[in-house]
């Protein structure tokens, strides 16, 4: 029944955008029908996923597809776990888009966006339940192409087109890698079925080849550093609710593919876990460092996706180390941190992108230095963004703290046993958290606090109800998991047991390894203290005497203005200078000359380390080399006749017996 509900959800979501193609471009009926279809599909999919996680120990159900000669789709706890963010965020997006991207305001691309949104959700759900390589690649390609068209929604903008093509190239490099992976899998196992293999079927060299192909193919989709180069541009230039599903869900398909594939391979070497742990540490640290140097709100959030993918990979690395060394407590804690952070990142990063969309909707700008004081005009958005910011920083009492705490526990246990990679991972994870706090203090302070810096910020208005409702649902998920993490414990236990089912590795209840009850008590107590302090502070503030107005010591300025506030650039300048060797910021400083200087300006920019500094310069250099050959292609017939003649002479020369001629020459 649960598999049937999931298949029904896939059909409803895939068909959600079709009715809108048959109504007028200016009509709102198409978007309402799409939202209704997506809501029904979401409810069916969530019921199917929740039922599978609750039932837990039942064998996997399969849906046969005769063309493949084997079972094609099935539903187990691991698939159900990843289906939750797919259907939750996928169902909230069209509701958000009713006000953020209404059809009457976007007649040229509104119908296309809703069509490919439904196909994107259906493609992700299909690949998650696939148990056959062909079905997996079908869902993967539907997801890849749908995401391409969603990123290119505003195809009249040069930035959107460039970002979409970079994404398409990157995702198809990953797809070609997966083609090679599944072809080798068929050759080694004799089947395209995605089922665990026995210990003696694959050699060690074949295992290493499978691992590195999977790491490359799925790592490109996940956006792990340095395979992240497509991610900042795509997330920054797509519509905000598209950015939310790209960051919150699409990236997790790479994580799902890697987690699922590792469950098929027997006895992973310890080097795999160390490599994934190191890759996660690099992604997490460099992701947050590059986020601090950004001045575009959505581009900043995009780099935080790289950071959180790094944290997820660190948890997966700990799980692999535990599995290879026979320590079930490492495996359970690492996998719990990895999987729960998949959920948590889907919730708080989608929330942050939806809040960024509300900011763009109310101010029509994404530049941090042009915003300020929005908490007064947009209190609901400010509160939701604050919840998302606290959660993404891994601070109590919200959900990001719980999943990062699991990763910390796994790292500590591994480090105590002498794991070198874990010893390095603990301080790196702590540094990631500290830098994330600094980054979001910058963002929240410059966007929502202080005074408006420009007319755009002064004219800001709160988002409509259909935009606030999805934000409230995601904020509630962040609060609920943070306050009562024991609610997700059964789902994590069922998923861990599913991942280890074919490996012969023992598992342990998560509740025996982590103090979930203590975490709940502390989280509720901290929330009560915060609520009490706020309740006490508000009457005190209202009863306080009116402040006296007068000039203060103001460095000679008689009339301070909002332009004299700290900007995001100046706030982060010291941290950027600490990592100048990595960030290499470039820009223009103000040029002030004389007693009465002319107006001037300043700006700074941090290029991407892979795309802007490596791939694009290399591509331009190769293009310059090929331009040298243009001199031979002038469009003149006599030139082409000459080329044909020279080719014929070269071919005829191969018939001349040079070897015999040279031998006779020397014989004389």
């Amino acid at each position: 029944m649960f598999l049937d509900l999931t298949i029904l959800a896939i059909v409803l979501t895939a068909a959600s955008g079709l009715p809108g193609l048959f109504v007028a471009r200016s009509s709102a009926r198409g978007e309402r029908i799409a939202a209704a279809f997506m809501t029904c599909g979401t409810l069916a999919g969530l019921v199917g996923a929740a039922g599978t996680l609750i039932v837990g120990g039942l064998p996997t159900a399969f849906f046969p597809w005769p063309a493949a000669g084997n079972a094609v789709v099935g539903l187990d706890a691991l698939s159900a776990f990843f289906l939750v963010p797919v259907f939750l965020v996928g169902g909230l997006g069209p509701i958000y888009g009713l006000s953020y991207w209404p059809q009457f305001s976007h007649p040229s691309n509104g119908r296309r966006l809703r069509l490919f949104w439904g196909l994107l959700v259906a493609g992700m759900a299909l690949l998650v339940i696939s148990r056959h390589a062909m079905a997996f690649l079908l869902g993967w390609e539907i997801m890849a192409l749908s995401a391409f068209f969603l990123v290119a929604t505003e195809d009249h903008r040069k930035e959107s087109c460039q970002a979409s093509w970079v994404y398409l190239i990157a995702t198809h490099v990953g797809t070609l890698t997966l083609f090679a992976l599944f072809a080798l899998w068929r050759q080694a196992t004799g089947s395209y079925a995605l089922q665990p293999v026995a210990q003696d079927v694959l050699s060690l060299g074949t295992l290493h080849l499978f691992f590195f192909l999977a790491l490359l193919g799925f790592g490109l989709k996940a956006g792990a550093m340095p395979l992240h180069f497509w991610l900042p541009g795509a997330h920054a230039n797509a519509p905000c609710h598209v950015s939310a599903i790209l960051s919150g869900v699409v990236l997790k398909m790479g994580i799902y593919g890697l987690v699922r594939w590792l469950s098929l391979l027997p006895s992973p070497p310890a080097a795999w876990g160390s490599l994934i742990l190191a890759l996660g540490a690099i992604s997490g640290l460099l992701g947050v460092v590059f986020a601090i140097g950004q001045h575009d709100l959505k581009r900043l959030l995009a780099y935080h996706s790289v950071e959180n993918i790094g944290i997820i990979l660190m948890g997966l690395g700990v799980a692999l180390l535990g599995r290879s060394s026979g320590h079930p407590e490492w495996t359970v804690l690492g996998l719990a941190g990895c999987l729960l952070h998949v959920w948590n990142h889907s919730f708080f990063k989608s929330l942050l992108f939806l809040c960024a969309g509300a900011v763009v909707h109310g101010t029509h700008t994404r530049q941090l230095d042009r915003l300020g004081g929005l908490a007064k005009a947009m209190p609901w958005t400010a509160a939701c963004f604050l919840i998302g910011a606290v959660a993404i920083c891994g601070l109590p009492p919200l959900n990001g703290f719980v999943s990062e705490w699991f990763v910390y526990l796994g790292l500590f246990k591994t480090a105590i046993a002498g794991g070198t990679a874990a010893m390095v991972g603990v301080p790196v994870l702590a540094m990631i958290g500290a830098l994330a706090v600094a980054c979001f203090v910058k963002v929240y302070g410059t966007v929502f606090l202080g005074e408006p810096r420009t007319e755009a910020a002064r004219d800001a208005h709160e988002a409509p109800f259909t935009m606030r409702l999805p934000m409230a649902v995601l904020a509630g998920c962040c609060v609920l998991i943070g306050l009562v993490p024991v609610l997700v414990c059964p789902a994590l236990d069922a998923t861990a047991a599913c991942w280890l089912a074919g490996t012969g590795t023992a598992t342990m209840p998560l509740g025996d390894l982590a103090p979930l009850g203590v975490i709940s008590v502390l989280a509720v107590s901290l929330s009560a203290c915060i609520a009490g302090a706020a309740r006490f502070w508000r009457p005190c503030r209202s009863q306080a005497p009116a402040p006296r107005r007068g000039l203060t010591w103001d460095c000679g300025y008689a009339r301070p203005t909002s332009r004299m506030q700290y900007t995001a650039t100046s706030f982060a300048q010291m941290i950027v200078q600490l990592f100048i060797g990595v960030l290499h910021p470039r820009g223009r400083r103000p040029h002030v000359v004389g007693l009465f200087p002319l107006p001037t300006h300043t700006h700074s920019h941090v290029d991407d380390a892979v795309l802007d500094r490596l791939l694009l310069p290399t591509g331009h250099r190769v293009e310059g080399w090929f331009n040298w050959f243009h001199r031979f292609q002038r469009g003149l017939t006599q030139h082409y006749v000459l080329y044909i003649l020279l080719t014929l002479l070269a071919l005829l020369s191969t018939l001349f017996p040079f070897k015999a001629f040279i031998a006779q020459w020397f014989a004389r």
Side-chain angles (χ1 to χ4, degrees), residues 181-407:
L181 177 65
F182 290 133
L184 292 173
W185 178 260
R186 171 68 173 80
Q187 182 182 7
T189 64
S191 172
Y192 283 116
L194 302 181
Q195 298 296 323
V197 296
Q199 177 71 35
D200 55 349
V201 173
L202 304 176
S203 64
L204 183 60
T206 304
L207 285 175
H208 285 316
L209 181 59
F210 283 157
F211 171 73
F212 283 109
L213 286 175
L215 191 61
L216 176 59
F218 295 122
L220 271 168
K221 180 61 66 178
M225 187 83 71
L227 306 175
H228 72 288
F229 55 89
W230 62 271
L231 189 152
H235 290 192
N237 291 286
C240 287
H241 58 315
V242 174
S243 302
I245 198 170
L246 287 177
S247 178
V249 187
V250 173
L251 298 186
K252 308 310 183 307
M253 296 301 101
I255 298 297
Y256 169 78
L258 190 57
V259 171
R260 173 66 73 180
W261 192 260
L262 290 173
S263 70
L264 307 180
L265 302 179
S267 59
W272 293 5
S274 299
L275 179 60
I276 291 182
L277 182 56
L279 183 64
I282 293 171
S283 298
L285 185 57
L286 293 184
V288 70
V289 167
F290 274 90
I292 290 176
Q294 304 305 312
H295 312 303
D296 184 308
L297 178 57
K298 291 182 64 180
R299 192 174 178 88
L300 180 146
L301 294 177
Y303 275 107
H304 275 288
S305 296
V306 180
E307 170 218 338
N308 282 274
I309 289 296
I311 296 174
I312 292 171
L313 290 177
M314 291 178 73
L316 182 59
V318 172
L320 279 179
L321 288 174
R323 185 175 150 193
S324 61
S325 60
H327 289 82
E329 65 275 14
W330 304 0
T331 306
V332 172
L333 285 172
L335 192 62
C338 166
L339 294 175
L340 184 56
H341 209 71
V342 166
W343 271 13
N344 290 342
H345 181 252
S346 299
F347 299 151
F348 59 62
K349 180 51 70 66
S350 299
L351 171 62
L352 289 171
F353 268 116
L354 295 186
C355 291
V359 171
V360 174
H361 182 267
T363 64
H364 306 289
T365 183
R366 306 191 315 244
Q367 297 300 316
L368 298 178
D369 291 340
R370 295 178 56 83
L371 299 169
L374 297 186
K376 299 175 183 177
M378 307 175 67
W380 184 274
T381 302
C384 290
F385 194 94
L386 181 61
I387 291 174
V390 173
I392 198 174
C393 292
L395 298 176
L398 297 182
N399 58 341
F401 170 78
V402 182
S403 53
E404 291 193 27
W405 177 245
F406 290 157
V407 178

Side-chain angles (χ1 to χ4, degrees), residues 94-177:
I95 299 174
Y96 184 90
L98 291 175
S99 296
Y100 178 73
W101 208 266
Q103 181 63 35
F104 69 86
S105 298
H106 302 275
S108 61
N109 53 36
R111 298 187 300 178
R112 184 179 66 195
L113 186 149
R114 283 182 287 276
L115 173 65
F116 287 109
W117 181 283
L119 291 175
L120 175 67
V121 175
M124 290 189 292
L126 175 60
L127 78 89
V128 165
I129 65 174
S130 297
R131 296 297 179 269
H132 192 277
M134 296 301 105
F136 186 97
L137 288 174
L138 175 62
W140 187 272
E141 192 64 12
I142 292 174
M143 172 190 68
L145 293 178
S146 300
F148 164 73
F149 286 109
L150 288 174
V151 173
T153 297
E154 297 180 279
D155 51 8
H156 60 280
R157 297 175 58 242
K158 179 182 177 181
E159 297 82 0
S160 297
C161 290
Q162 181 178 358
S164 62
W165 282 110
V166 171
Y167 163 76
L168 187 66
I169 293 171
T171 192
H172 278 91
V173 169
T175 302
L176 291 175
T177 306

Side-chain angles (χ1 to χ4, degrees), residues 423-495:
M423 292 180 184
V424 178
V426 172
V428 169
L429 187 56
M431 188 180 298
I432 291 171
L435 291 174
V437 171
C439 185
F440 277 93
V441 167
K442 175 190 86 168
V443 174
Y444 197 82
T446 54
V447 173
F448 294 101
L449 303 182
E451 295 295 328
R453 292 178 171 84
T454 60
E455 290 298 327
R458 295 186 184 94
D459 298 337
H461 55 84
E462 185 59 275
F465 173 75
T466 53
M467 294 175 64
R468 299 199 305 268
L469 178 61
M471 292 158 56
V473 172
L474 294 172
C477 292
C478 295
V479 174
L480 183 63
I481 295 177
L483 295 181
V484 196
V486 71
L487 293 178
V488 298
C489 189
L492 294 173
D493 286 335
T495 309

